[in-house]
Amino acid sequence: MIKIYQRLTVLIMLVLAISGAVIYFTVDINTLSHLNAFKPWSILAALFLLAIGLALDGTRLMHLVRISDERISFYEAIQVVFGNYFLALLTPGAAGGAVAQLMFLRRAGVPTGKATVLVIVRTLLSIVFLLLCMPIIFLFDQDLLPWISKKTMVLSSLIVAVVIIFAIWLSRTNLLSYLLVKLTRRFKYQRRRNIFSAYRDFQDAAFLLLKAPLCIFRVFIESALSLLALYSVVPILFIGMGIDINWHYVLGRMMLLNILLYFAPTPGGSGIAEGGFIMLFNDFLPSGTVGIAAVAWRIIVEYIPFIIGLYYTVKVFGRDFISKQL
């Protein structure tokens, strides 16, 4: 019990410190003038988009579970979604998010093996969508990475997306297993065992992806719409601050930022998310407003779902259970 309160206290202090530093180092004399122009409707619109994004996240999980010949209700799927936000924000590298999803899926009656595969597929679909969007983003947003040529960025992102899709297809054959055996034959037993265990999970995920293509395509579309709704919170906030923005440029940069956050080592990407936001949008916004926008985005899209996830986790598993997980 004490451990979870300590972890929550550290997290709250970290969030407050990061938010305070972001605002402190980006605020200037122009900040108040733009805050006065802030439109309250934009907050309501941002919350509405958040609700749509989370609801679609829940429905895609329901349909994904159905493909695996299991069933969960929309309410149970929403608990998985919010539980993911809660433990992801408490653990380095957001590793706890996957644990939370497994916990709630098992609670809903999904066997552990299938739950593991579903968590992998859910993540893969999101990453594949973002990677498929990258060539288009790099093609039209030439100022995103000005030190790298547009041709190189488009080609690199296309290669990464194709490699992932090809690896999913290739996992249905024995070729990858053969290559893994050759590549890991000099590894220690435990390390080799862990690699093959992860590969078997990936292979099961690939089989699920290719089991019902039309159903998976539906889940993929739901994944895309869910992410687009969540990312659209940012341009809505910009408009609410009286700023004229290019909507698809903002969405493109949010996609790039969120790909990077999948690999962030800090709990829930704290610090890296705000810093990346400032780097990507500092030139879009008037002086003194980017820090306020970064903090508002994190509060709406991350911290509100985190609080709801805390409620559901305590309600379903109890405080003692969470303490053991942390």
Side-chain angles (χ1 to χ4, degrees):
M1 183 67 68
I2 295 175
K3 190 175 181 180
I4 186 173
Y5 284 129
Q6 290 176 339
R7 185 68 65 89
L8 287 171
T9 301
V10 170
L11 175 66
I12 292 170
M13 296 300 294
L14 177 65
V15 167
L16 290 176
I18 291 173
S19 300
V22 166
I23 293 174
Y24 177 78
F25 288 109
T26 58
V27 72
D28 65 14
I29 196 170
N30 300 309
T31 302
L32 289 178
S33 63
H34 286 285
L35 286 180
N36 289 338
F38 196 87
K39 299 175 180 63
W41 65 260
S42 64
I43 294 293
L44 295 176
L47 291 173
F48 178 69
L49 286 169
L50 174 67
I52 291 176
L54 295 175
L56 286 169
D57 202 358
T59 58
R60 73 159 174 161
L61 182 59
M62 283 177 57
H63 298 142
L64 196 58
V65 171
R66 196 173 298 167
I67 296 172
S68 71
D69 300 321
E70 301 292 336
R71 293 288 187 275
I72 62 172
S73 67
F74 177 70
Y75 181 64
E76 290 170 330
I78 285 296
Q79 289 180 339
V80 175
V81 172
F82 283 119
N84 174 50
Y85 275 93
F86 171 59
L87 278 186
L89 204 58
L90 279 180
T91 51
V99 175
Q101 293 176 66
L102 287 173
M103 287 162 42
F104 279 101
L105 284 170
R106 288 203 307 264
R107 183 79 174 191
V110 180
T112 301
K114 286 186 178 181
T116 302
V117 171
L118 290 169
V119 171
I120 295 172
V121 171
R122 182 175 179 268
T123 304
L124 272 177
L125 288 173
S126 296
I127 293 177
V128 167
F129 168 70
L130 293 175
L131 288 175
L132 289 175
C133 290
M134 284 299 104
I136 301 172
I137 293 166
F138 289 139
L139 185 64
F140 289 100
D141 191 350
Q142 299 181 23
D143 297 325
L144 188 56
L145 297 173
W147 57 88
I148 303 177
S149 70
K150 180 171 67 175
K151 183 179 179 180
T152 300
M153 290 190 297
V154 172
L155 184 61
S156 299
S157 54
L158 274 173
I159 290 173
V160 171
V162 170
V163 166
I164 289 179
I165 294 172
F166 181 68
I168 292 172
W169 174 82
L170 196 63
S171 65
R172 297 190 66 179
T173 70
N174 293 323
L175 181 58
L176 281 182
S177 299
Y178 175 79
L179 289 175
L180 274 181
V181 170
K182 291 292 185 182
L183 291 172
T184 62
R185 60 184 177 182
R186 296 182 183 276
F187 291 4
K188 292 182 178 180
Y189 172 75
Q190 189 59 45
R191 187 179 179 187
R192 200 178 190 203
R193 181 179 178 182
N194 291 338
I195 290 173
F196 274 91
S197 177
Y199 171 70
R200 281 193 295 271
D201 288 339
F202 175 78
Q203 191 175 42
D204 290 340
F207 273 106
L208 183 61
L209 281 170
L210 300 172
K211 177 182 177 182
L214 289 178
C215 295
I216 286 294
F217 181 72
R218 174 185 178 178
V219 175
F220 179 78
I221 295 300
E222 286 178 310
S223 300
L225 294 175
S226 172
L227 292 174
L228 289 174
L230 294 174
Y231 300 158
S232 293
V233 167
V234 173
I236 283 291
L237 291 175
F238 289 172
I239 295 171
M241 298 175 75
I243 301 165
D244 185 24
I245 52 97
N246 189 316
W247 194 289
H248 67 271
Y249 274 22
V250 175
L251 283 182
R253 296 194 173 202
M254 285 303 300
M255 289 179 183
L256 176 61
L257 177 57
N258 279 271
I259 284 181
L260 297 177
L261 290 180
Y262 274 107
F263 308 100
T266 58
S270 298
I272 295 174
E274 291 84 355
F277 188 97
I278 291 170
M279 289 180 61
L280 290 172
F281 296 111
N282 193 44
D283 294 336
F284 274 68
L285 307 180
S287 177
T289 60
V290 67
I292 300 294
V295 172
W297 161 61
R298 289 290 282 177
I299 289 173
I300 292 173
V301 176
E302 294 290 338
Y303 302 141
I304 291 177
F306 166 82
I307 292 171
I308 299 173
L310 169 61
Y311 164 75
Y312 277 127
T313 306
V314 171
K315 178 182 177 181
V316 174
F317 298 104
R319 298 177 184 179
D320 293 338
F321 184 84
I322 301 173
S323 299
K324 293 175 184 177
Q325 294 298 316
L326 297 177

